Amino acid sequence: MLSKNFTKAEFILNNENQYQLEYSKDEIGQGSNLTVERKKEDGEFETVQAMITRLNDRVFIKWSEPFDGRLIFEN
């Protein structure tokens, strides 16, 4: 499995007042199993059930507030 780390600063506030990350299918692959993990204060990661949507060749991960974390996927 591969992972891609992200930071709070990478989130963008969308029209629905949700914070989102955007990836292309080239970055994470088509049909990949995606797991979103949030980094806790102690440096450990916890799995969260973020909303994941796809539109055309883009994948959007949405959450109520930005956080540091990582996206785990199969390529």
Side-chain angles (χ1 to χ4, degrees), residues 1-12:
M1 290 204 185
L2 302 172
S3 67
K4 182 176 285 288
N5 292 340
F6 55 83
T7 65
K8 293 177 187 180
E10 294 176 59
F11 279 86
I12 297 171

Side-chain angles (χ1 to χ4, degrees), residues 8 11-14 16-21 61-67:
K8 293 177 187 180
F11 279 86
I12 297 171
L13 186 61
N14 67 18
E16 301 161 344
N17 284 329
Q18 294 176 319
Y19 289 90
Q20 72 182 26
L21 296 170
I61 298 167
K62 301 175 185 178
W63 196 255
S64 57
E65 72 266 346
F67 61 92

Side-chain angles (χ1 to χ4, degrees), residues 1-4 22-35 52-61 71-75:
M1 290 204 185
L2 302 172
S3 67
K4 182 176 285 288
E22 181 178 343
Y23 295 101
S24 71
K25 76 173 185 180
D26 294 336
E27 291 178 277
I28 60 174
Q30 176 137 350
S32 294
N33 292 327
L34 302 177
T35 303
I52 300 172
T53 58
R54 295 176 187 266
L55 179 63
N56 300 325
D57 291 340
R58 311 301 293 170
V59 176
F60 301 93
I61 298 167
L71 177 64
I72 299 174
F73 54 95
E74 297 174 17
N75 199 359

Side-chain angles (χ1 to χ4, degrees), residues 22-49:
E22 181 178 343
Y23 295 101
S24 71
K25 76 173 185 180
D26 294 336
E27 291 178 277
I28 60 174
Q30 176 137 350
S32 294
N33 292 327
L34 302 177
T35 303
V36 179
E37 293 185 333
R38 177 173 38 193
K39 192 172 189 178
K40 299 188 295 185
E41 290 181 15
D42 64 5
E44 296 292 317
F45 288 91
E46 64 181 345
T47 301
V48 295
Q49 292 185 333

